[in-house]
Amino acid sequence: MPDNNLFNPNDLPKKNDDNNTSTNNLNQPIEEHKDLIEIPQAYYDKLAKEEQEKQNKAQAEMLKKQEVLEAKKSFNSFASIVLINAILIFASTYAFLNINELLILLIPGFIVFLTFYSAFKHKKDSTYPISLLIGGIIVAVVTFIISMIKVEELDLWTHYTIVAVVIGFLGAFTSNIITKIITSFKEIKALEFTGYIIYFILLIGVPIFLEHNYRTEFHQFVFLEQVAVEAENEEDFILKTLQVRYGEKFTCENKVQYQVDENNRKQNTRKCKSSSGIEIDVTSKDYQELNNKFIIIDNYIDRLYLDNSKSQLIDNLQAASQANKIELYLYPEINCTFYGDCADCDEYYTRYNEETSIEHQYEQSIKLNFTKELNNDSKSFINNQKFKYIINVISTYDENNTDYQSIIDRILNEINNKGYKNTFGYVINIYSLSSSSLGDTNKLVYKVKGSTNKEQTFKDPEVVDISGYRAIK
C-alpha cells in the first residue's frame, strides 16, 4: 500500500512557470499608442520671417544710429569751419583797418588755402564755399547789431558789416569756382572756363586800377583812411585837399600873401571860395615843398558853423549878464589849429607841443574830413563835436559888492536855454575893467570851471583859486 506521506517530486510546484510566462510575454510584440502631430512648413517660414525681420530691424536701428552719429559729426565739422571763417573774416578786417592796409591780403590768402584744402580732402562734397558765405553773414549780423548799440561808432561797425557781406558772397563765389576747377576740371566747357578767367582778371585788376587812378577815394572807402593827395603844384594841392576835406570844389585867387610862421617856416595865405559861395582864408604851410606836400589850414568850418553861432550867443550872454563885453571861444578837443579856437585853457597848454608840431599838423591836415558833418545845422554841429566853452565876462565891477555867482548862474542858464550841450566842459572868467593913464586893464576877479556830465548840461561850477593870476590888458 502506498504511503501517501511519501515525498513526490512531481507534486512540487514548477518554479519557472511564471518566469516562462513572462519570458513568453517579452517575446511578443508590444503595441505602442502614440498621437503623432505634424507641424506645417508655414509655421517654420513664419518663424524664419520674424527672425529675419528682427535682425533687419536691429540692423536698421544700428544704421540709423550710425547715420545720426555721422550727421552729428558732419554738422559739428561744418559748424567749426563756419566759426573759423567768421573769426578769420573779422580778424583780417580788423587787421587791415587798424594795423596795416597790406594785411587785406590775408583775406584772399585764407580763402584760397582753405578752398584747396577742402577740395582735395572732400572732392565734390566740399562744403567750404557755403561755410564761407554763412561765416560772412554771421559777422555781418553781429557787427550790424553792434553798430545799433554803439551809435558813436556807427560808421566803423557799419563798415565791418559791409566788408563781411562782400567777403561772404564774393568769397563763396570765388571758392566755388576754384573747387569746381579742382574737382571737375574735365566737365568744364570752354566758354565757362573763359568766363572764369575773365572773372579772376576783374577780381585782381579792378582793385589795382582803383588804387592807381582813384587812390584817395579807394582808400577812404575800403580802409576808412584818408591819404595825402598827390598834386603837381601848391595850388593844385590846396584845391584837392579842400575837396577831399569838405566834399566841395573850391576856386582860389591868384593873389597870395607870403609869410613865415613862428618856426621860420614859409606859409602862403590866399582867398578861396566854395561852390556854395562861402569865401574863406586858406593858408598853405610848407612841409615838403620839393615833393609838393603842404599843411593846409582854412577857416571854412568857422565861417560855415561857428562864427554866426558864437556871435548870437555872445549877444544873449551879454544881455543875461549885463556885462560890458563878452568874449566866447570854442576850444575843440583836438585840432584847434584847423577849426575852432586855440583858447586859453588847461587842455590847450597840455597839448601845446603836439598841436604846434609840424609832423602832427601834417598828419591831421591829410586826415581831416568833414564831409559827413556838412548836412547839419550850426547848433547840431557844435553839439556833435567836443568843444570847451571859454567865456570871458568883462565889465566895471565893484569887487567887494558884486554877486559873481549870480552872474555865473545867469550865464549857464542862458547857454542851457539856447539848447547847447556841455560835451567837453567850460571855463568862465570874470574880469573887472578899470581905466588909467596906461589904458584899460582887465583884472581877473572870479573864475569857475565845470566838466561835462551825463545830461550834458552846464551846471555845477567849481570856483578856481585866482590868487596867482595877474591883471591883463
Side-chain angles (χ1 to χ4, degrees), residues 107-118:
I107 296 173
F110 81 77
I111 290 176
V112 172
F113 174 77
L114 292 178
T115 298
F116 270 81
Y117 175 79
S118 183

Side-chain angles (χ1 to χ4, degrees), residues 90 107 149 170 449:
F90 181 82
I107 296 173
I149 297 173
L170 198 60
K449 65 179 181 179

